[in-house]
Amino acid sequence: MGMNENPFNSILKTLEKPDGGEFGKYYSLPALNDPRIDKLPYSIRILLESAIRNCDEFQVKSKDVEKIIDWKNTSPKQVEIPFKPARVLLQDFTGVPAVVDLACMRDAMNGLGGDSNKINPLVPVDLVIDHSVQVDVARSENAVQANMELEFQRNKERFAFLKWGSNAFHNMLVVPPGSGIVHQVNLEYLGRVVFNTKGMLYPDSVVGTDSHTTMIDGLGVAGWGVGGIEAEAAMLGQPMSMVLPGVVGFKLSGKLRDGVTATDLVLTVTQMLRKHGVVGKFVEFYGEGMGELSLADRATIANMSPEYGATMGFFPVDHVTLHYLKLTGRSDETVSMIESYLRANKMFVDYGEPQIDRVYSSYLELNLEDVEPCVSGPKRPHDRVPLKEMKADWHSCLDNRVGFKGFAIPKQSQSKVAEFNFHGTPAQLRHGDVVIAAITSCTNTSNPSVMLGAALVAKKACELGLEVKPWVKTSLAPGSGVVTKYLENSGLQKYLNQLGFHIVGYGCTTCIGNSGDIDEAVASAITENDLVAAAVLSGNRNFEGRVHPLTRANYLASPPLVVAYALAGTVDIDFETEPIGEGKDGKKIFFRDIWPSNEEVAKVVQSNVLPDMFKATYKAITKGNPMWNHLSVPSGTLYSWDSTSTYIHEPPYFKSMTMSPPGPHGVKNAYCLLNFGDSITTDHISPAGSIHKDSPAARYLVERGVDRRDFNSYGSRRGNDEVMARGTFANIRIVNKLLGGEVGPKTIHIPSGEKLSVFDVAMRYKSEGHDTIILAGAEYGSGSSRDWAAKGPMLLGVKAVIAKSFERIHRSNLVGMGIIPLCFKPGEDAETLGLTGHERYSIELPSSVSDIRPGQDVTVVTDNGKSFTCTLRFDTEVELAYFDHGGILRYVIRNLIHTKH
């Protein structure tokens, strides 16, 4: 397929510099002279510009451009459009499998007689090695160095592999470990806002392999999370197929009251948007309240898009954005180019000028003055609890039956006190006692107001003589080195240290389950007394079993509230009326005594967050650190796989791959591997945390001589398909209806009735030559996007998933791996249809892909005479092509073999 002339070349214009000379050329939206464009949401204009610039009448057609211009009429109709992002963002957990797949594709290309050097990223890839700081050492001055050394010991092999990849592949920037969390580094350093590539100007846009990539939307850069599988396709130059989204217009007015934080605001917005229903939509913020929202506050709201379910929470570029770009050390020349381009292309919001009303799909409004202090929990990010109702809410959670808001603790044991011995000191634990308090996660550590707010709480508490109990595991994990610079500069870090909030590292910690172990004495007290212990963290996710296996209650809170709860030692407290603790002279100290005013916080931010800090931090970033620089790596463009490695293993995706596609496959007489209810998350399907000692993955590692101490996490072993296949459905909290009420990662081998681990049952079916399917309820695959949640089931031999509904990214990942997603018809599910999961299932599909239509009806037949209709969730022609080829990666290889580049 040759490159066609772009039909829109007539609107190519030159952008002049303010002082003469030119910045470059650009595709001008105003030059289209189409009045509909003035009414388009800003977020849609970015999709429009990308479609125009990439229009070749093959991957992107002029009719796609027209669909986007006509957004007002087309968006309610679920039309598909192609989107080519400006760049791809990876972090190390997903970077490893992406580079494994690239290396593997080079081998496959070689094997089929093609040119293996054709396999390279075609768009810029930013790979930030983060996400793996285990909090092994906390409450110590030496925590950062100690945790970093352990991280390098554990991950040396993966880091070396990524270092090989950074040399072997073009167009890939690798940011070494220890630099920070990918989303914060993206915001403070990588975000271009406007690209200038070989004299062509265009808006920055990004897809990233972590669902919180949306944080960059706060900077006016369109970005969202996709599965590792789509990210790989995007970096190989494939257009992403997406439904043209509706856009919710979210109007902000007023300003936050004193003592209310950005975190309180984001938890409020999350609850409002969850209730409104924004799945698959963009949310675009506007209104005079925007001037009151710092860029960090915007980024906090944008970051939590996945928790409210939107694809993006977008803040168009305005003066606040330009101010932040200068603050973070972007050059004046760059900022001038960004402003000139966006103004010329009608993508800049100037609140000093009269606004043309944009059209939105629906409207919401929030007066910032109505936001009150709050937390979210104990098991879901959108279950907001106003601070003043926290104690009452906690007691109802103890009473309620087991569920998102219930622990079913019998009345008589609710006030139980567990006596234990903590390193020679007698100690007590009760329900609701805090055992983990973590200032963590890019959501909040990128925000100087809440970070310095937490430090001010610590200062006041220390001065009044309050302490944190020694058995609370406290930690502080900033998302970039800048945080340390301003905490040190302000002289406030020492107060955080005094309370045990020492810096433990720069990366994702507690929020993703890297909380490390709880002291053994505390752990025993919790398990022996069946206590509902609590974690309080400034993260964005608190799903069950995620933060730590022993904290059943997990609350999301602002960093200053994390400090307050650590001091109180319990979530069973009413901050209005009950003291947090006793100060120096036995005086009762209340919440109000340690809480700073907004003005106090603003003052400290103003004088301590400075451009030089950003410049210094990021100037050193590509230099790396001694541990990184000493890693020796092989040269060569093909990787030499080490068959004994338990970290990097060549996956079997291309075994027996032929030049021509295999065509679609139905399902014949399949057994049901697992039968699930609602809200099965990707954490259930493919856990990211620790590898349980009795699991199939543990067995595999022990057989290969790996000591239990060195198991590391599933996330860190994503480059090894053998471990990841065994870790599929290995979450200890998984509920499988085939087990009749028992909780745990097991299932029934139907023919024999034996109960074994899911992996063992799947392998037995495979060896007997049987297909398998999965039955599920609503929102199957919600939570973080994980490509292994699709690769794993494929390796287990799962051929189809029949669910009430799917999470967006997970569904497209299943398609990418060749698994058939099917939806029950509205009002139907396994229970209403009387399915137990003991039946055998057949799904007939035409043998030629040209006879299948996206979203068509398909009949499922069981061996006990039942038959029901489902919707086939291949949503686009492109997805059907992937299915025809046996998955997206094979499709790309076959395409590259046939191109002449």
Side-chain angles (χ1 to χ4, degrees):
M1 192 60 217
M3 283 301 287
N4 286 331
E5 168 85 355
N6 187 326
F8 292 96
N9 282 348
S10 59
I11 60 167
L12 262 180
K13 298 274 180 254
T14 301
L15 186 67
E16 311 287 342
K17 290 187 176 176
D19 53 359
E22 51 189 61
F23 286 119
K25 295 218 172 322
Y26 69 105
Y27 284 95
S28 162
L29 301 185
L32 284 168
N33 284 326
D34 194 319
R36 293 174 295 179
I37 294 173
D38 289 335
K39 298 270 189 197
L40 287 179
Y42 288 97
S43 47
I44 299 297
R45 298 179 197 188
I46 291 176
L47 302 182
L48 174 60
E49 188 283 337
S50 168
I52 288 172
R53 182 167 33 87
N54 291 297
C55 186
D56 61 356
E57 297 299 5
F58 171 57
Q59 286 187 333
V60 182
K61 303 179 173 172
S62 25
K63 66 166 200 255
D64 296 316
V65 172
E66 171 54 30
K67 278 183 199 166
I68 302 173
I69 294 176
D70 200 29
W71 171 86
K72 184 184 166 191
N73 300 313
T74 51
S75 62
K77 298 183 184 142
Q78 295 283 298
V79 303
E80 285 291 328
I81 57 153
F83 175 58
K84 286 188 143 186
R87 62 189 168 103
V88 172
L89 183 69
L90 304 173
Q91 27 66 307
D92 83 349
F93 276 5
T94 45
V96 170
V99 179
V100 163
D101 289 356
L102 281 171
C104 206
M105 287 170 78
R106 276 195 174 167
D107 292 345
M109 194 77 157
N110 219 23
L112 291 169
D115 170 10
S116 63
N117 288 327
K118 270 190 186 174
I119 306 274
N120 266 314
L122 294 176
V123 301
V125 173
D126 297 324
L127 198 166
V128 180
I129 304 183
D130 85 335
H131 252 261
S132 43
V133 183
Q134 279 280 357
V135 188
D136 294 298
V137 181
R139 302 191 77 146
S140 136
E141 293 285 348
N142 188 33
V144 176
Q145 189 60 21
N147 289 323
M148 185 103 172
E149 279 168 16
L150 284 163
E151 185 182 347
F152 259 83
Q153 278 165 25
R154 282 197 200 103
N155 300 313
K156 208 163 139 185
E157 238 179 285
R158 289 170 43 244
F159 290 170
F161 176 67
L162 290 174
K163 199 170 165 181
W164 167 79
S166 70
N167 300 326
F169 296 101
H170 309 302
N171 226 359
M172 193 185 275
L173 167 74
V174 175
V175 176
S179 311
I181 304 179
V182 57
H183 309 306
Q184 192 159 341
V185 173
N186 194 17
L187 191 69
E188 294 173 354
Y189 175 66
L190 295 170
R192 281 38 156 216
V193 189
V194 172
F195 264 89
N196 188 345
T197 305
K198 297 180 187 144
M200 174 69 77
L201 295 151
Y202 52 96
D204 187 2
S205 58
V206 59
V207 293
T209 46
D210 183 275
S211 50
H212 295 104
T213 300
T214 53
M215 187 165 192
I216 201 70
D217 305 341
L219 195 67
V221 172
W224 59 86
V226 295
I229 296 160
E230 298 98 315
E232 288 176 32
M235 72 191 194
L236 293 165
Q238 295 299 305
M240 285 178 27
S241 179
M242 60 185 282
V243 172
L244 182 61
V247 183
V248 177
F250 198 127
K251 186 176 183 181
L252 296 170
S253 57
K255 62 186 281 189
L256 293 174
R257 285 180 313 186
D258 202 34
V260 177
T261 64
T263 317
D264 301 323
L265 171 59
V266 72
L267 295 177
T268 304
V269 167
T270 297
Q271 188 187 33
M272 282 176 74
L273 286 168
R274 260 281 160 194
K275 203 172 148 202
H276 187 74
V278 291
V279 172
K281 299 189 175 101
F282 290 173
V283 176
E284 186 165 294
F285 293 88
Y286 69 102
E288 72 277 17
M290 291 284 276
E292 294 292 338
L293 275 192
S294 73
L295 198 114
D297 291 358
R298 297 172 181 195
T300 298
I301 294 172
N303 175 288
M304 280 190 71
S305 297
E307 282 67 46
Y308 42 82
T311 304
M312 286 207 290
F314 188 73
F315 291 81
V317 176
D318 59 19
H319 288 297
V320 174
T321 324
L322 300 178
H323 171 76
Y324 179 83
L325 290 169
K326 288 181 178 162
L327 171 70
T328 48
R330 271 84 162 193
S331 74
D332 289 348
E333 164 87 347
T334 303
V335 177
S336 160
M337 174 195 79
I338 290 169
E339 183 177 2
S340 304
Y341 170 79
L342 293 173
R343 281 185 183 275
N345 229 359
K346 295 205 170 169
M347 292 177 171
F348 184 84
V349 184
D350 190 332
Y351 288 104
E353 293 171 0
Q355 301 295 303
I356 296 180
D357 276 346
R358 288 163 306 286
V359 174
Y360 291 111
S361 315
S362 63
Y363 296 82
L364 272 175
E365 192 167 342
L366 173 65
N367 185 337
L368 297 175
E369 281 157 35
D370 297 340
V371 177
E372 57 182 339
C374 56
V375 297
S376 275
K379 302 185 192 186
R380 290 193 303 189
H382 51 280
D383 291 336
R384 186 179 70 93
V385 187
L387 210 52
K388 56 179 194 283
E389 293 165 25
M390 182 63 180
K391 190 179 174 87
D393 193 81
W394 172 252
H395 284 275
S396 63
C397 285
L398 289 179
D399 290 337
N400 295 345
R401 61 194 186 91
V402 173
F404 294 124
K405 293 289 286 186
F407 298 107
I409 303 296
K411 273 274 188 248
Q412 65 278 11
S413 51
Q414 286 185 9
S415 48
K416 177 197 281 186
V417 179
E419 307 278 351
F420 71 106
N421 184 312
F422 185 77
H423 302 283
T425 315
Q428 298 183 329
L429 271 186
R430 298 173 173 76
H431 290 297
D433 276 8
V434 173
V435 295
I436 290 178
I439 298 175
T440 176
S441 165
C442 50
T443 309
N444 287 296
T445 66
S446 57
N447 195 321
S449 304
V450 291
M451 295 304 281
L452 286 162
L456 286 170
V457 169
K459 176 176 191 263
K460 290 173 190 278
C462 291
E463 287 168 351
L464 291 166
L466 291 177
E467 291 176 355
V468 173
K469 296 196 172 66
W471 56 82
V472 181
K473 187 162 187 179
T474 41
S475 63
L476 165 59
S480 91
V482 177
V483 179
T484 302
K485 288 194 167 65
Y486 65 65
L487 284 173
E488 287 295 347
N489 198 50
S490 64
L492 295 172
Q493 178 67 49
K494 61 172 183 282
Y495 299 109
L496 286 164
N497 290 355
Q498 200 177 318
L499 297 182
F501 288 94
H502 296 84
I503 292 185
V504 293
Y506 301 89
C508 289
T509 55
T510 310
C511 183
I512 198 176
N514 287 346
S515 41
D517 291 333
I518 297 181
D519 186 275
E520 274 172 34
V522 179
S524 312
I526 294 171
T527 43
E528 286 161 20
N529 296 282
D530 198 24
L531 290 177
V532 184
V536 182
L537 61 150
S538 64
N540 47 46
R541 295 240 162 111
N542 52 349
F543 301 127
E544 203 174 7
R546 178 183 177 103
V547 171
H548 190 283
L550 296 180
T551 56
R552 278 194 272 165
N554 302 283
Y555 286 95
L556 304 181
S558 66
L561 274 178
V562 171
V563 178
Y565 275 112
L567 291 160
T570 179
V571 296
D572 186 0
I573 182 173
D574 177 354
F575 280 145
E576 297 264 310
T577 59
E578 297 176 88
I580 278 185
E582 288 194 359
K584 289 194 183 101
D585 39 15
K587 184 169 167 272
K588 289 194 163 78
I589 309 293
F590 287 85
F591 179 78
R592 56 184 169 271
D593 302 325
I594 59 170
W595 203 253
S597 71
N598 289 9
E599 200 179 335
E600 278 175 85
V601 176
K603 221 150 119 186
V604 179
V605 171
Q606 202 84 48
S607 46
N608 292 293
V609 184
L610 309 164
D612 287 352
M613 295 179 178
F614 292 91
K615 283 185 182 140
T617 303
Y618 289 112
K619 200 165 73 197
I621 205 164
T622 42
K623 294 202 180 87
N625 51 58
M627 287 188 260
W628 170 259
N629 295 334
H630 288 142
L631 284 177
S632 64
V633 298
S635 55
T637 58
L638 291 174
Y639 190 68
S640 27
W641 304 95
D642 168 4
S643 58
T644 62
S645 169
T646 56
Y647 276 106
I648 308 291
H649 181 264
E650 182 173 18
Y653 309 140
F654 306 113
K655 295 272 181 288
S656 72
M657 179 175 167
T658 52
M659 279 295 268
S660 52
H665 63 81
V667 175
K668 199 159 181 51
N669 271 330
Y671 282 101
C672 174
L673 182 61
L674 294 145
N675 181 1
F676 290 132
D678 294 347
S679 291
I680 290 292
T681 68
T682 48
D683 272 325
H684 289 121
I685 305 168
S686 181
S690 54
I691 296 172
H692 197 269
K693 61 178 191 307
D694 306 324
S695 64
R699 209 165 60 215
Y700 169 88
L701 291 170
V702 169
E703 280 164 11
R704 277 154 192 74
V706 178
D707 192 344
R708 207 186 130 192
R709 278 202 318 269
D710 302 323
F711 278 1
N712 212 333
S713 64
Y714 282 114
S716 66
R717 292 192 182 268
R718 284 183 192 176
N720 185 319
D721 57 284
E722 298 275 5
V723 173
M724 297 310 289
R726 287 165 176 76
T728 305
F729 301 112
N731 187 313
I732 56 171
R733 300 248 175 237
I734 206 160
V735 179
N736 169 16
K737 294 180 187 176
L738 291 176
L739 298 182
E742 184 191 332
V743 177
K746 292 196 158 46
T747 194
I748 305 292
H749 176 252
I750 306 282
S752 66
E754 282 183 69
K755 182 172 76 178
L756 300 161
S757 75
V758 178
F759 176 77
D760 292 337
V761 171
M763 290 307 104
R764 191 180 291 188
Y765 282 135
K766 257 189 146 167
S767 67
E768 296 162 352
H770 296 308
D771 287 349
T772 53
I773 60 117
I774 287 171
L775 294 175
E779 291 179 10
Y780 181 75
S782 53
S784 306
S785 135
R786 299 238 166 102
D787 49 341
W788 274 111
K791 288 174 171 173
M794 185 269 291
L795 293 175
L796 294 188
V798 173
K799 297 290 184 262
V801 178
I802 311 175
K804 280 172 78 168
S805 63
F806 291 92
E807 192 277 334
R808 178 181 69 91
I809 298 173
H810 185 63
R811 185 202 60 79
S812 68
N813 280 352
L814 291 174
V815 174
M817 294 322 291
I819 294 175
I820 306 168
L822 294 168
C823 276
F824 290 111
K825 288 294 176 188
E828 296 188 345
D829 60 22
E831 285 191 4
T832 64
L833 293 165
L835 305 170
T836 63
H838 288 261
E839 313 80 358
R840 299 183 71 173
Y841 293 78
S842 295
I843 302 159
E844 215 169 304
L845 288 177
S847 56
S848 159
V849 78
S850 53
D851 297 330
I852 306 179
R853 290 184 325 284
Q856 74 171 56
D857 282 354
V858 170
T859 306
V860 181
V861 180
T862 65
D863 63 336
N864 61 351
K866 293 201 154 106
S867 150
F868 55 97
T869 307
C870 289
T871 306
L872 181 65
R873 289 296 311 275
F874 294 128
D875 291 357
T876 65
E877 299 294 337
V878 176
E879 288 188 346
L880 283 173
Y882 295 157
F883 183 56
D884 188 38
H885 277 261
I888 194 167
L889 299 177
R890 294 177 173 215
Y891 170 84
V892 168
I893 290 175
R894 291 193 186 102
N895 267 5
L896 284 170
I897 286 177
H898 299 306
T899 55
K900 292 289 178 282
H901 280 315

